[in-house]
Amino acid sequence: MRPIGVHTSIKDTLINAIFEAAELKCSTFQIFLHSPKVWEIPQWDENLIGEFKKQRQIYGLNPLVIHAPYLINLISSTPKTVASSRFLLKREIYLAEALEADFYVLHLKDNKDMEKEEIYAKTKEGFIKIEDNLHCKILIENTAKSKITARIQDLFETYEKVQTSQVGGLCIDTCHLFAAGYDLRKEEDIEILIKEIEKYGDFNLIKLIHLNDSKAEVGSGIDRHEHLGKGAIGKEGFKKFLKINELSSLPLILETPKKSLEDDRKNLAFLREILKKLES
Ligand SMILES: [Zn+2]
Ligand SMILES: [Zn+2]
């Protein structure tokens, strides 16, 4: 069975994220290590980290995915921001490693005034400062609008150019694909997506799927997640996307809007129903 999970909250305690995932009968989960809008990183003692690892074992949640904060900007033209970003990235990945996380999902920043080569070089420099023998690997996520990570060709080119031993592959987000112009509701666009992955990269480089519907229309370049089946991708789009054989064993993580656990419950039920039909 492919792992299914949601982004859970560490708001009250770190362990809460595990209990939330367990309560939702998830087999994987994703967390932020702290509020994604602040630079401060939490100080967790060994006991808490030990308890987290123990509880995760008990509930059998694999993989554990950490999502990077949005502040990290390895290519900023302000040297101070680059330095803070490198420092935060490194600290985050070491903390992720201490938690025995498997993947660290990162969005790369684009800059319309900067050449691709400069973006690649600066990004890569941020990666090589991190120890290179860690279990936890960086996954680069596709984005809704960017010259380096929105279209599949650009995403694979970027991956190749910034690849270091700290980077373990790619994460594909359905909302971002849709916003970047891949109309998942259409068979022909699904075909284009498959062909582009085969032509410019390799399915094996994709390690994780973020499954989100989109509030914005196809090709909008706008990154607004919606409940599964309630957005522009809709049920037909997800049925087609989830049928892609080469992606069918990858972990699925939902980052859909969430006011309470009830929202996750509904989205997971929607997903499980589609998967059940595909399996039968
Ligand atoms: Zn995502
Ligand atoms: Zn998004």
Side-chain angles (χ1 to χ4, degrees), residues 30 67 105 107 141-142 171 173 176 210 212 225 255:
Q30 173 178 286
H67 200 296
V105 175
H107 298 201
E141 181 169 353
N142 67 316
C171 168
D173 186 306
H176 304 171
H210 278 167
N212 301 307
H225 299 187
E255 300 170 309

Side-chain angles (χ1 to χ4, degrees), residues 11 31 34-35 42 46 65 74 94 111 118-119 125 135 137 161 168 174 191 196 211 237-240 254:
K11 219 171 95 199
I31 53 172
H34 54 100
S35 160
E46 264 173 51
V65 182
L74 300 167
Y94 292 160
N111 179 339
E118 191 183 349
I119 296 177
E125 232 178 290
H135 165 77
K137 296 288 180 202
K161 294 289 172 77
T174 52
E191 282 302 314
E196 287 187 3
L211 206 70
F238 286 107
K239 273 181 161 160
K240 289 197 173 72
L254 276 50

Side-chain angles (χ1 to χ4, degrees), residues 260-277:
S260 69
L261 282 195
E262 214 27 54
D263 286 324
D264 282 341
R265 251 182 222 114
K266 281 184 199 155
N267 283 305
L268 285 164
F270 174 94
L271 169 61
R272 287 183 175 122
E273 191 196 309
I274 292 182
L275 291 178
K276 211 167 139 192
K277 277 191 187 136

